[in-house]
Amino acid sequence: MTITRTRPTARQLRPGIRRALAHALPALAVVFALFTTSGWTTAPGHRPSGALAADLAAWGRGRIGGRPLPDPASPPGVLAAFFASLTPRERRHLARSHPLTVGNMNGAPVTLRYHANRLALGDALRAERARPRDPRLTEADRREAGRRLHRFASLMEEDRDILAFDPDGGGRVAEVFGDLARADRISVVVPGAGTDLLTFQRSARSATAPVGMALALRRAQREARPGVRTAVVAWADYTAPGGVGVDAATASLAAAGAVRLSALVGSLPGGAPVALFCHSYGSVVCGLAARSLPARVTDIVVAGSPGMRAGHASLLGSRARIWAARATGDWIAGLPHVEVGGLGHGADPVSPGFGARVLSAEGAEGHSGYFAPGSESLKNFALIAAGAPAAVRCAREEDPCGSLPTAGSPV
């Protein structure tokens, strides 16, 4: 018997395969555009370097009271127990001797971290002072050095509580607004691409930068529920993509950021519920971190999200409520929400099939306006952050997003 094999035509392909190709081709076109406009850029290394690496090396050789110092990568509980065993004088000595290590150590007392980071900022300020006058630098480099000097001086101001600081490269930083230990509710703002030391705070359009986002959220929380004590962390303590390019289309930087975010949340003092507010590429970080976050995280909110690296909210592996918001004019809606060969970030969080609770973002303008005072998105974020999710306004009036199952229930 002779068997004749014929190659199936496109018309004979199964509908599911045709749909997959239809979604994949636009994504590949975007990938090609990224290659040709920005080139393939390898993800920067995530190992500490510069001043932080030197400080960590010195810590590794150090001792106190005849004891070796613990591995800074130890679980936060181990590090908390170590610091609890020290006298106040010994803790201050370690902060002075190793300010960058202590200032970035999850498990160290937060007030000690604030003190250590103020010392580290002073060291960075002194090291940077000569650069604006260095004739070997280009004019652009001297201007950037001047901006860094201004940023270091601003972060050192007495009323600022800096939870993390690393001056190397573009720099990383996290700041706390409120009392973490006494708060009834804690929020963490996770920003997206283009975030570094110099863009951590802006004077114009302040609510488009992490500090302004956090302050706007905290003010809106107080208006929503004045009796609830809140603390907000502006968390730019990961290496974000520099802009819209191949790094932003892949998850390598987000994966490293997710490890750092999980460590931060796992080390927060007290037992207050925690909500994450994740903007743009920050939502990729939150999506990858979701599975490893502690149970005290009750809500994960994404805004202007390119995807969370999951096909459905239930696949994130979190018992937290998953919320999504998108402004009408946000260009992120035009991206293909697929993942092909590691490029792209998967399903659209605001699509009905993803399973997130979709919030109204009325009043938010463009991709960066979600925390703008007076916007519906900020009001909704504040209600979630203050523990009143049932009062939110949904994107579609007929969709009871605020009355869906509570955190701890399946999504």
Side-chain angles (χ1 to χ4, degrees), residues 117-141:
N117 282 319
R118 192 175 303 281
L119 297 174
L121 279 159
D123 291 341
L125 188 68
R126 286 185 287 276
E128 198 76 23
R129 275 194 179 125
R131 295 190 71 239
R133 300 186 298 274
D134 189 337
R136 295 170 297 179
L137 298 181
T138 65
E139 184 61 31
D141 287 338

Side-chain angles (χ1 to χ4, degrees), residues 265-293:
V265 177
S267 70
L268 290 173
V274 176
L276 305 183
F277 295 87
C278 320
H279 177 243
S280 193
Y281 190 81
S283 66
V284 186
V285 177
C286 291
L288 293 175
R291 189 175 300 275
S292 60
L293 293 170

Side-chain angles (χ1 to χ4, degrees), residues 243-264:
V244 180
V246 174
D247 278 344
T250 65
S252 59
L253 294 178
V259 173
R260 299 180 69 84
L261 178 60
S262 296
L264 175 276

Side-chain angles (χ1 to χ4, degrees), residues 15 70 79 88 111 114-115 138 141 176 216 256-257 281 289 292 319 332 359 387:
L79 296 171
T111 53
Y114 300 156
H115 174 63
T138 65
D141 287 338
V176 176
Y281 190 81
S292 60
R319 305 288 283 183
I332 206 84
L359 297 164

Side-chain angles (χ1 to χ4, degrees), residues 189 207-208 212-214 216-217 277-279 303 364 368-373 375 377-378 381:
V189 174
T208 64
M213 292 176 178
L217 179 60
F277 295 87
C278 320
H279 177 243
S368 302
Y370 291 94
F371 290 82
S375 65
S377 50
L378 180 60
F381 296 169

Side-chain angles (χ1 to χ4, degrees), residues 118-364:
R118 192 175 303 281
L119 297 174
L121 279 159
D123 291 341
L125 188 68
R126 286 185 287 276
E128 198 76 23
R129 275 194 179 125
R131 295 190 71 239
R133 300 186 298 274
D134 189 337
R136 295 170 297 179
L137 298 181
T138 65
E139 184 61 31
D141 287 338
R142 285 195 289 271
R143 282 197 302 269
E144 180 171 330
R147 293 175 65 202
R148 284 169 63 88
L149 273 173
H150 175 76
R151 175 66 67 236
F152 295 158
S154 173
L155 292 173
M156 281 185 69
E157 292 174 1
E158 285 296 325
D159 61 343
R160 303 192 72 164
D161 292 329
I162 306 304
L163 188 65
F165 169 67
D166 180 1
D168 189 57
R172 294 195 298 250
V173 62
E175 184 171 5
V176 176
F177 302 93
D179 189 334
L180 287 173
R182 299 180 61 198
D184 299 316
R185 310 281 308 187
I186 295 174
S187 299
V188 181
V189 174
V190 183
T195 302
D196 58 20
L197 266 171
L198 295 181
T199 60
F200 184 59
Q201 184 175 6
R202 292 190 177 101
S203 299
R205 300 180 69 235
S206 61
T208 64
V211 168
M213 292 176 178
L215 288 172
L217 179 60
R218 191 158 186 251
R219 283 193 293 265
Q221 281 179 292
R222 287 172 167 171
E223 292 175 9
R225 297 187 72 187
V228 177
R229 293 175 299 186
T230 62
V232 184
V233 182
W235 189 80
D237 191 27
Y238 80 104
T239 301
V244 180
V246 174
D247 278 344
T250 65
S252 59
L253 294 178
V259 173
R260 299 180 69 84
L261 178 60
S262 296
L264 175 276
V265 177
S267 70
L268 290 173
V274 176
L276 305 183
F277 295 87
C278 320
H279 177 243
S280 193
Y281 190 81
S283 66
V284 186
V285 177
C286 291
L288 293 175
R291 189 175 300 275
S292 60
L293 293 170
R296 67 190 292 193
V297 176
T298 58
D299 298 272
I300 300 174
V301 185
V302 299
S305 174
M308 299 181 74
R309 287 268 158 170
H312 190 271
S314 62
L315 300 178
L316 292 169
S318 173
R319 305 288 283 183
R321 289 175 287 246
I322 309 299
W323 308 82
R326 177 170 301 146
T328 301
D330 191 340
W331 57 263
I332 206 84
L335 293 182
H337 287 274
V338 295
E339 188 272 320
V340 180
L343 292 156
H345 301 301
D348 186 350
V350 301
S351 65
F354 186 75
R357 299 157 171 81
V358 182
L359 297 164
S360 170
E362 187 177 329

Side-chain angles (χ1 to χ4, degrees), residues 51-72:
L52 177 56
D55 201 44
L56 284 166
W59 173 277
R61 299 188 296 269
R63 302 179 72 84
I64 193 161
R67 294 183 292 164
L69 301 179
D71 183 349

